């Protein structure tokens, strides 16, 4: 049995419904979309373990419409199914790390195996992210314990002007505060500090707790 969440995108209604039913019988939960616009909305709203998509649809050609989701980190392991294979789409598939490329017509067992590989890849990726987040949290906790809670290592006179309460923050927490003051978002802070977004959000929560604020707006107002 599968157990993964699958998005099926194809303008052929018969293919969508039949394939969704067959995968559902294997234990997968399936969502369907008839075009690239429908797929885009689903990828924004939901988290999927695998995407099964045709190449040619009324509102999209080839796979270029998937690039924005890949850049945003929303593109799950993808399986391309097409009746029109070509060199250009194969190159694009490799660039987007498509896990399988199936030519119609194909045996349903081939698709089932491809979906199984995609779902397992998604699960392994989540485990790596979770393990990294736990490791980062542990490292940050050790750094806080080893530092001086009154005035952490790396304190500068610039920090004095930001308010006395910042002296209760760790080095990393103050880095996050400075980034928030510059208007950076969580994902941008994570990239700049080489942390996961999960770890950055944990730092923000600890900052809120230590400084007695309840939102980013309240925090920035206190630091003005």
């Amino acid at each position: 049995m599968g157990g993964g969440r699958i998005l099926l995108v194809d303008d052929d209604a018969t293919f969508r419904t039949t394939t969704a039913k067959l995968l559902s019988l294997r234990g997968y939960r399936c969502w369907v979309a008839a075009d690239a616009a429908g797929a885009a909305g689903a990828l924004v709203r939901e988290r999927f373990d695998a995407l099964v998509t045709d190449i040619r649809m009324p509102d999209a050609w080839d796979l270029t419409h998937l690039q924005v989701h890949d850049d945003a980190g929303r593109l799950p392991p993808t399986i391309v199914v097409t009746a029109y294979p070509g060199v250009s789409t194969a190159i694009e598939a490799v660039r987007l790390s498509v896990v399988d490329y199936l030519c119609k017509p194909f045996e349903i067992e081939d698709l089932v195996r491809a979906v199984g590989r995609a779902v397992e890849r998604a699960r392994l990726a989540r485990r790596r992210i979770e393990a990294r987040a736990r490791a980062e949290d542990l490292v940050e906790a050790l750094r806080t314990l080893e530092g001086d809670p009154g005035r952490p290592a790396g304190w500068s006179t610039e920090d004095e002007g930001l308010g006395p309460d910042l002296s209760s923050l760790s080095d990393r927490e103050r880095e996050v505060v400075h980034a928030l003051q510059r208007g950076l978002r969580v994902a941008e802070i994570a990239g700049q500090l080489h942390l996961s977004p999960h770890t950055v959000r944990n730092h923000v929560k600890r900052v809120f707790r230590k400084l007695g604020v309840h939102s980013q707006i309240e925090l920035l107002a206190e630091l003005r």
Side-chain angles (χ1 to χ4, degrees), residues 150-167:
R151 179 166 290 197
W155 180 267
S156 69
T157 54
E158 179 184 358
D159 295 308
E160 297 281 5
L162 293 175
D165 284 342
L166 284 187
S167 63

Side-chain angles (χ1 to χ4, degrees), residues 137-149 168-173 203 206 210:
D137 287 344
L138 178 58
V139 169
E140 292 303 320
L142 290 172
R143 288 179 60 180
T144 300
L145 289 172
E146 291 171 354
D148 178 357
S168 66
L169 305 183
S170 69
D171 282 347
R172 185 66 84 191
E173 289 163 354
H203 284 311
R206 285 194 285 269
K210 289 181 179 181

